[in-house]
PDB file of all heavy atoms in Angstrom:
ATOM      1  N   VAL A 464      55.949 136.471 104.976  1.00 95.00           N
ATOM      2  CA  VAL A 464      55.762 137.359 106.112  1.00 95.00           C
ATOM      3  C   VAL A 464      56.435 136.749 107.328  1.00 95.00           C
ATOM      4  O   VAL A 464      56.245 135.560 107.627  1.00 95.00           O
ATOM      5  CB  VAL A 464      54.266 137.589 106.413  1.00 95.00           C
ATOM      6  CG1 VAL A 464      54.101 138.469 107.651  1.00 95.00           C
ATOM      7  CG2 VAL A 464      53.578 138.235 105.210  1.00 95.00           C
ATOM      8  N   CYS A 465      57.238 137.554 108.007  1.00 96.00           N
ATOM      9  CA  CYS A 465      57.861 137.147 109.263  1.00 96.00           C
ATOM     10  C   CYS A 465      57.248 138.005 110.367  1.00 96.00           C
ATOM     11  O   CYS A 465      57.275 139.240 110.282  1.00 96.00           O
ATOM     12  CB  CYS A 465      59.372 137.338 109.200  1.00 96.00           C
ATOM     13  SG  CYS A 465      60.228 136.989 110.754  1.00 96.00           S
ATOM     14  N   ALA A 466      56.685 137.361 111.393  1.00 96.00           N
ATOM     15  CA  ALA A 466      56.036 138.094 112.485  1.00 96.00           C
ATOM     16  C   ALA A 466      56.602 137.647 113.824  1.00 96.00           C
ATOM     17  O   ALA A 466      56.798 136.453 114.060  1.00 96.00           O
ATOM     18  CB  ALA A 466      54.526 137.866 112.441  1.00 96.00           C
ATOM     19  N   PHE A 467      56.873 138.615 114.698  1.00 96.00           N
ATOM     20  CA  PHE A 467      57.393 138.312 116.032  1.00 96.00           C
ATOM     21  C   PHE A 467      57.028 139.459 116.962  1.00 96.00           C
ATOM     22  O   PHE A 467      56.633 140.539 116.519  1.00 96.00           O
ATOM     23  CB  PHE A 467      58.912 138.110 116.001  1.00 96.00           C
ATOM     24  CG  PHE A 467      59.667 139.265 115.414  1.00 96.00           C
ATOM     25  CD1 PHE A 467      60.158 140.292 116.204  1.00 96.00           C
ATOM     26  CD2 PHE A 467      59.887 139.337 114.045  1.00 96.00           C
ATOM     27  CE1 PHE A 467      60.848 141.363 115.662  1.00 96.00           C
ATOM     28  CE2 PHE A 467      60.579 140.402 113.484  1.00 96.00           C
ATOM     29  CZ  PHE A 467      61.053 141.427 114.294  1.00 96.00           C
ATOM     30  N   LYS A 468      57.160 139.216 118.246  1.00 94.00           N
ATOM     31  CA  LYS A 468      56.748 140.207 119.226  1.00 94.00           C
ATOM     32  C   LYS A 468      57.950 140.929 119.804  1.00 94.00           C
ATOM     33  O   LYS A 468      58.972 140.319 120.124  1.00 94.00           O
ATOM     34  CB  LYS A 468      55.938 139.562 120.359  1.00 94.00           C
ATOM     35  CG  LYS A 468      55.200 140.584 121.244  1.00 94.00           C
ATOM     36  CD  LYS A 468      54.068 139.944 122.013  1.00 94.00           C
ATOM     37  CE  LYS A 468      53.200 141.025 122.685  1.00 94.00           C
ATOM     38  NZ  LYS A 468      52.008 140.449 123.352  1.00 94.00           N
ATOM     39  N   SER A 469      57.841 142.271 119.930  1.00 93.00           N
ATOM     40  CA  SER A 469      58.860 143.092 120.573  1.00 93.00           C
ATOM     41  C   SER A 469      58.153 144.121 121.440  1.00 93.00           C
ATOM     42  O   SER A 469      57.333 144.901 120.947  1.00 93.00           O
ATOM     43  CB  SER A 469      59.728 143.802 119.530  1.00 93.00           C
ATOM     44  OG  SER A 469      60.678 144.651 120.162  1.00 93.00           O
ATOM     45  N   LYS A 470      58.441 144.090 122.715  1.00 90.00           N
ATOM     46  CA  LYS A 470      57.764 144.973 123.670  1.00 90.00           C
ATOM     47  C   LYS A 470      56.258 144.758 123.570  1.00 90.00           C
ATOM     48  O   LYS A 470      55.770 143.649 123.661  1.00 90.00           O
ATOM     49  CB  LYS A 470      58.181 146.423 123.443  1.00 90.00           C
ATOM     50  CG  LYS A 470      59.673 146.669 123.682  1.00 90.00           C
ATOM     51  CD  LYS A 470      60.041 148.128 123.516  1.00 90.00           C
ATOM     52  CE  LYS A 470      61.521 148.343 123.797  1.00 90.00           C
ATOM     53  NZ  LYS A 470      61.937 149.743 123.607  1.00 90.00           N
ATOM     54  N   ARG A 471      55.500 145.827 123.312  1.00 88.00           N
ATOM     55  CA  ARG A 471      54.042 145.704 123.266  1.00 88.00           C
ATOM     56  C   ARG A 471      53.508 145.645 121.842  1.00 88.00           C
ATOM     57  O   ARG A 471      52.321 145.845 121.610  1.00 88.00           O
ATOM     58  CB  ARG A 471      53.407 146.889 124.015  1.00 88.00           C
ATOM     59  CG  ARG A 471      53.682 146.888 125.503  1.00 88.00           C
ATOM     60  CD  ARG A 471      52.994 148.052 126.194  1.00 88.00           C
ATOM     61  NE  ARG A 471      53.491 149.334 125.718  1.00 88.00           N
ATOM     62  CZ  ARG A 471      54.578 149.928 126.215  1.00 88.00           C
ATOM     63  NH1 ARG A 471      55.273 149.326 127.177  1.00 88.00           N
ATOM     64  NH2 ARG A 471      54.966 151.098 125.761  1.00 88.00           N
ATOM     65  N   SER A 472      54.383 145.388 120.887  1.00 93.00           N
ATOM     66  CA  SER A 472      53.978 145.365 119.478  1.00 93.00           C
ATOM     67  C   SER A 472      54.320 144.041 118.816  1.00 93.00           C
ATOM     68  O   SER A 472      55.281 143.366 119.203  1.00 93.00           O
ATOM     69  CB  SER A 472      54.654 146.501 118.708  1.00 93.00           C
ATOM     70  OG  SER A 472      54.194 147.764 119.119  1.00 93.00           O
ATOM     71  N   ILE A 473      53.535 143.706 117.819  1.00 95.00           N
ATOM     72  CA  ILE A 473      53.879 142.604 116.921  1.00 95.00           C
ATOM     73  C   ILE A 473      54.542 143.221 115.697  1.00 95.00           C
ATOM     74  O   ILE A 473      53.949 144.060 115.013  1.00 95.00           O
ATOM     75  CB  ILE A 473      52.638 141.803 116.493  1.00 95.00           C
ATOM     76  CG1 ILE A 473      51.919 141.249 117.711  1.00 95.00           C
ATOM     77  CG2 ILE A 473      53.045 140.676 115.543  1.00 95.00           C
ATOM     78  CD1 ILE A 473      52.716 140.278 118.544  1.00 95.00           C
ATOM     79  N   CYS A 474      55.772 142.843 115.442  1.00 96.00           N
ATOM     80  CA  CYS A 474      56.505 143.362 114.286  1.00 96.00           C
ATOM     81  C   CYS A 474      56.255 142.454 113.088  1.00 96.00           C
ATOM     82  O   CYS A 474      56.343 141.223 113.205  1.00 96.00           O
ATOM     83  CB  CYS A 474      57.994 143.439 114.595  1.00 96.00           C
ATOM     84  SG  CYS A 474      58.393 144.497 115.998  1.00 96.00           S
ATOM     85  N   ILE A 475      55.945 143.065 111.958  1.00 96.00           N
ATOM     86  CA  ILE A 475      55.593 142.315 110.754  1.00 96.00           C
ATOM     87  C   ILE A 475      56.514 142.740 109.614  1.00 96.00           C
ATOM     88  O   ILE A 475      56.564 143.921 109.246  1.00 96.00           O
ATOM     89  CB  ILE A 475      54.124 142.550 110.369  1.00 96.00           C
ATOM     90  CG1 ILE A 475      53.209 142.099 111.515  1.00 96.00           C
ATOM     91  CG2 ILE A 475      53.785 141.802 109.080  1.00 96.00           C
ATOM     92  CD1 ILE A 475      51.759 142.469 111.301  1.00 96.00           C
ATOM     93  N   ILE A 476      57.239 141.777 109.071  1.00 97.00           N
ATOM     94  CA  ILE A 476      58.143 142.034 107.943  1.00 97.00           C
ATOM     95  C   ILE A 476      57.580 141.318 106.719  1.00 97.00           C
ATOM     96  O   ILE A 476      57.466 140.086 106.703  1.00 97.00           O
ATOM     97  CB  ILE A 476      59.566 141.531 108.232  1.00 97.00           C
ATOM     98  CG1 ILE A 476      60.124 142.190 109.505  1.00 97.00           C
ATOM     99  CG2 ILE A 476      60.483 141.817 107.049  1.00 97.00           C
ATOM    100  CD1 ILE A 476      61.502 141.688 109.897  1.00 97.00           C
ATOM    101  N   GLU A 477      57.211 142.074 105.698  1.00 96.00           N
ATOM    102  CA  GLU A 477      56.703 141.511 104.443  1.00 96.00           C
ATOM    103  C   GLU A 477      57.799 141.570 103.391  1.00 96.00           C
ATOM    104  O   GLU A 477      58.396 142.630 103.164  1.00 96.00           O
ATOM    105  CB  GLU A 477      55.489 142.294 103.964  1.00 96.00           C
ATOM    106  CG  GLU A 477      54.306 142.251 104.916  1.00 96.00           C
ATOM    107  CD  GLU A 477      53.160 143.093 104.398  1.00 96.00           C
ATOM    108  OE1 GLU A 477      52.370 142.590 103.586  1.00 96.00           O
ATOM    109  OE2 GLU A 477      53.069 144.268 104.809  1.00 96.00           O
ATOM    110  N   ILE A 478      58.060 140.454 102.738  1.00 97.00           N
ATOM    111  CA  ILE A 478      59.135 140.367 101.749  1.00 97.00           C
ATOM    112  C   ILE A 478      58.548 139.891 100.429  1.00 97.00           C
ATOM    113  O   ILE A 478      57.904 138.836 100.372  1.00 97.00           O
ATOM    114  CB  ILE A 478      60.232 139.394 102.209  1.00 97.00           C
ATOM    115  CG1 ILE A 478      60.726 139.764 103.617  1.00 97.00           C
ATOM    116  CG2 ILE A 478      61.403 139.399 101.225  1.00 97.00           C
ATOM    117  CD1 ILE A 478      61.554 138.680 104.271  1.00 97.00           C
ATOM    118  N   ALA A 479      58.755 140.665  99.378  1.00 95.00           N
ATOM    119  CA  ALA A 479      58.233 140.308  98.058  1.00 95.00           C
ATOM    120  C   ALA A 479      59.357 140.388  97.031  1.00 95.00           C
ATOM    121  O   ALA A 479      60.051 141.407  96.945  1.00 95.00           O
ATOM    122  CB  ALA A 479      57.098 141.242  97.654  1.00 95.00           C
ATOM    123  N   LEU A 480      59.551 139.325  96.279  1.00 93.00           N
ATOM    124  CA  LEU A 480      60.527 139.302  95.194  1.00 93.00           C
ATOM    125  C   LEU A 480      59.805 139.352  93.858  1.00 93.00           C
ATOM    126  O   LEU A 480      58.708 138.803  93.703  1.00 93.00           O
ATOM    127  CB  LEU A 480      61.386 138.040  95.250  1.00 93.00           C
ATOM    128  CG  LEU A 480      62.554 138.015  96.239  1.00 93.00           C
ATOM    129  CD1 LEU A 480      63.331 136.715  96.090  1.00 93.00           C
ATOM    130  CD2 LEU A 480      63.483 139.202  96.041  1.00 93.00           C
ATOM    131  N   ILE A 481      60.435 139.994  92.889  1.00 89.00           N
ATOM    132  CA  ILE A 481      59.885 140.099  91.540  1.00 89.00           C
ATOM    133  C   ILE A 481      60.884 139.527  90.543  1.00 89.00           C
ATOM    134  O   ILE A 481      62.074 139.843  90.597  1.00 89.00           O
ATOM    135  CB  ILE A 481      59.588 141.570  91.178  1.00 89.00           C
ATOM    136  CG1 ILE A 481      58.547 142.154  92.119  1.00 89.00           C
ATOM    137  CG2 ILE A 481      59.124 141.685  89.731  1.00 89.00           C
ATOM    138  CD1 ILE A 481      57.189 141.502  92.023  1.00 89.00           C
ATOM    139  N   ASP A 482      60.415 138.669  89.652  1.00 86.00           N
ATOM    140  CA  ASP A 482      61.216 138.187  88.527  1.00 86.00           C
ATOM    141  C   ASP A 482      60.767 138.927  87.270  1.00 86.00           C
ATOM    142  O   ASP A 482      59.596 139.298  87.138  1.00 86.00           O
ATOM    143  CB  ASP A 482      61.040 136.685  88.318  1.00 86.00           C
ATOM    144  CG  ASP A 482      61.791 135.873  89.358  1.00 86.00           C
ATOM    145  OD1 ASP A 482      62.742 136.414  89.947  1.00 86.00           O
ATOM    146  OD2 ASP A 482      61.415 134.711  89.584  1.00 86.00           O
ATOM    147  N   ILE A 483      61.694 139.136  86.344  1.00 80.00           N
ATOM    148  CA  ILE A 483      61.372 139.772  85.064  1.00 80.00           C
ATOM    149  C   ILE A 483      61.852 138.834  83.962  1.00 80.00           C
ATOM    150  O   ILE A 483      63.039 138.528  83.874  1.00 80.00           O
ATOM    151  CB  ILE A 483      62.034 141.150  84.924  1.00 80.00           C
ATOM    152  CG1 ILE A 483      61.622 142.063  86.088  1.00 80.00           C
ATOM    153  CG2 ILE A 483      61.666 141.791  83.592  1.00 80.00           C
ATOM    154  CD1 ILE A 483      62.269 143.431  86.058  1.00 80.00           C
ATOM    155  N   ASP A 484      60.917 138.372  83.128  1.00 76.00           N
ATOM    156  CA  ASP A 484      61.298 137.415  82.094  1.00 76.00           C
ATOM    157  C   ASP A 484      61.873 138.116  80.868  1.00 76.00           C
ATOM    158  O   ASP A 484      62.020 139.335  80.836  1.00 76.00           O
ATOM    159  CB  ASP A 484      60.113 136.511  81.716  1.00 76.00           C
ATOM    160  CG  ASP A 484      58.960 137.296  81.091  1.00 76.00           C
ATOM    161  OD1 ASP A 484      59.183 138.403  80.570  1.00 76.00           O
ATOM    162  OD2 ASP A 484      57.813 136.783  81.119  1.00 76.00           O
ATOM    163  N   GLY A 485      62.182 137.317  79.853  1.00 72.00           N
ATOM    164  CA  GLY A 485      62.817 137.854  78.657  1.00 72.00           C
ATOM    165  C   GLY A 485      61.975 138.849  77.898  1.00 72.00           C
ATOM    166  O   GLY A 485      62.500 139.631  77.108  1.00 72.00           O
ATOM    167  N   ASP A 486      60.669 138.846  78.135  1.00 76.00           N
ATOM    168  CA  ASP A 486      59.774 139.789  77.467  1.00 76.00           C
ATOM    169  C   ASP A 486      59.456 141.005  78.337  1.00 76.00           C
ATOM    170  O   ASP A 486      58.618 141.837  77.959  1.00 76.00           O
ATOM    171  CB  ASP A 486      58.462 139.090  77.080  1.00 76.00           C
ATOM    172  CG  ASP A 486      58.687 137.988  76.064  1.00 76.00           C
ATOM    173  OD1 ASP A 486      59.545 138.180  75.168  1.00 76.00           O
ATOM    174  OD2 ASP A 486      58.019 136.942  76.163  1.00 76.00           O
ATOM    175  N   GLY A 487      60.102 141.086  79.493  1.00 75.00           N
ATOM    176  CA  GLY A 487      59.868 142.224  80.376  1.00 75.00           C
ATOM    177  C   GLY A 487      58.665 142.076  81.278  1.00 75.00           C
ATOM    178  O   GLY A 487      58.265 143.032  81.938  1.00 75.00           O
ATOM    179  N   ASN A 488      58.066 140.880  81.339  1.00 79.00           N
ATOM    180  CA  ASN A 488      56.905 140.660  82.192  1.00 79.00           C
ATOM    181  C   ASN A 488      57.339 140.386  83.630  1.00 79.00           C
ATOM    182  O   ASN A 488      58.308 139.658  83.864  1.00 79.00           O
ATOM    183  CB  ASN A 488      56.079 139.469  81.676  1.00 79.00           C
ATOM    184  CG  ASN A 488      55.581 139.700  80.267  1.00 79.00           C
ATOM    185  OD1 ASN A 488      55.053 140.757  79.946  1.00 79.00           O
ATOM    186  ND2 ASN A 488      55.751 138.704  79.404  1.00 79.00           N
ATOM    187  N   MET A 489      56.588 140.946  84.581  1.00 81.00           N
ATOM    188  CA  MET A 489      56.914 140.762  85.990  1.00 81.00           C
ATOM    189  C   MET A 489      56.105 139.600  86.567  1.00 81.00           C
ATOM    190  O   MET A 489      54.895 139.512  86.353  1.00 81.00           O
ATOM    191  CB  MET A 489      56.616 142.035  86.781  1.00 81.00           C
ATOM    192  CG  MET A 489      57.515 143.207  86.430  1.00 81.00           C
ATOM    193  SD  MET A 489      57.270 144.592  87.557  1.00 81.00           S
ATOM    194  CE  MET A 489      55.532 144.962  87.263  1.00 81.00           C
ATOM    195  N   THR A 490      56.790 138.734  87.296  1.00 83.00           N
ATOM    196  CA  THR A 490      56.142 137.640  88.007  1.00 83.00           C
ATOM    197  C   THR A 490      56.735 137.567  89.414  1.00 83.00           C
ATOM    198  O   THR A 490      57.786 138.146  89.692  1.00 83.00           O
ATOM    199  CB  THR A 490      56.358 136.298  87.288  1.00 83.00           C
ATOM    200  OG1 THR A 490      57.767 136.056  87.166  1.00 83.00           O
ATOM    201  CG2 THR A 490      55.717 136.305  85.916  1.00 83.00           C
ATOM    202  N   SER A 491      56.064 136.844  90.300  1.00 86.00           N
ATOM    203  CA  SER A 491      56.555 136.711  91.666  1.00 86.00           C
ATOM    204  C   SER A 491      57.807 135.849  91.700  1.00 86.00           C
ATOM    205  O   SER A 491      57.875 134.795  91.065  1.00 86.00           O
ATOM    206  CB  SER A 491      55.485 136.096  92.563  1.00 86.00           C
ATOM    207  OG  SER A 491      54.391 136.968  92.704  1.00 86.00           O
ATOM    208  N   GLY A 492      58.788 136.290  92.461  1.00 88.00           N
ATOM    209  CA  GLY A 492      59.993 135.499  92.655  1.00 88.00           C
ATOM    210  C   GLY A 492      59.826 134.541  93.819  1.00 88.00           C
ATOM    211  O   GLY A 492      58.959 134.723  94.675  1.00 88.00           O
TER     212      GLY A 492
END
Side-chain angles (χ1 to χ4, degrees):
V464 177
C465 175
F467 55 92
K468 193 160 190 175
S469 177
K470 297 183 178 178
R471 294 182 297 275
S472 293
I473 302 298
C474 301
I475 300 172
I476 302 177
E477 298 178 85
I478 307 166
L480 280 183
I481 298 296
D482 285 338
I483 303 178
D484 64 22
D486 296 322
N488 300 313
M489 293 188 299
T490 58
S491 294

